[in-house]
């Protein structure tokens, strides 16, 4: 059982690292990340929040966490908002085959 937990943890880390790389690559591709780090961001937040976010994202530094979190937010699609806007747009008499 210990090997299964270790494997699951390794797999989770591998997936997180791959997802992080894809997000950061996409942010670079659209010009959100580049070589110049020309803005400083600071704020006061609970250390538990930072620690939990770093563990979840599998990152070590505050800078990595901020870049990843801000990239995810900036690249987030608007699927949910578009879906909600469509509410009621399908006629009620349509046969959905369900």
């Amino acid at each position: 059982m210990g090997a299964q937990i270790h494997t699951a943890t390794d797999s989770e880390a591998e997936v997180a690292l791959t997802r992080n790389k894809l997000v950061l690559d996409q942010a670079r591709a659209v010009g959100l990340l580049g070589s110049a780090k020309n803005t400083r961001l600071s704020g006061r937040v609970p250390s538990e929040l930072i620690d939990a976010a770093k563990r979840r994202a599998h990152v070590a530094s505050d800078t990595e966490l901020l870049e990843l979190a801000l990239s995810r937010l900036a690249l987030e699609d608007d699927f949910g908002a578009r879906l909600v806007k469509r509410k009621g747009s399908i006629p009620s008499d349509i046969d959905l085959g369900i």
Side-chain angles (χ1 to χ4, degrees), residues 12-28 30 32-33 49-50 52-59 63-79:
E12 179 184 312
E14 192 174 308
V15 167
L17 294 173
T18 300
R19 184 176 54 238
N20 293 350
K21 182 184 179 327
L22 291 171
V23 167
L24 295 174
D25 286 350
Q26 186 179 9
R28 276 186 203 89
V30 297
L32 297 175
L33 291 176
L49 177 61
I50 298 296
K54 283 181 182 177
R55 277 192 309 275
R56 175 81 183 223
H58 296 273
V59 298
T63 298
E64 286 178 292
L65 181 63
L66 282 170
E67 283 184 344
L68 182 61
L70 291 172
S71 293
R72 284 184 181 176
L73 185 59
L75 296 170
E76 188 175 83
D77 68 19
D78 62 345
F79 174 77

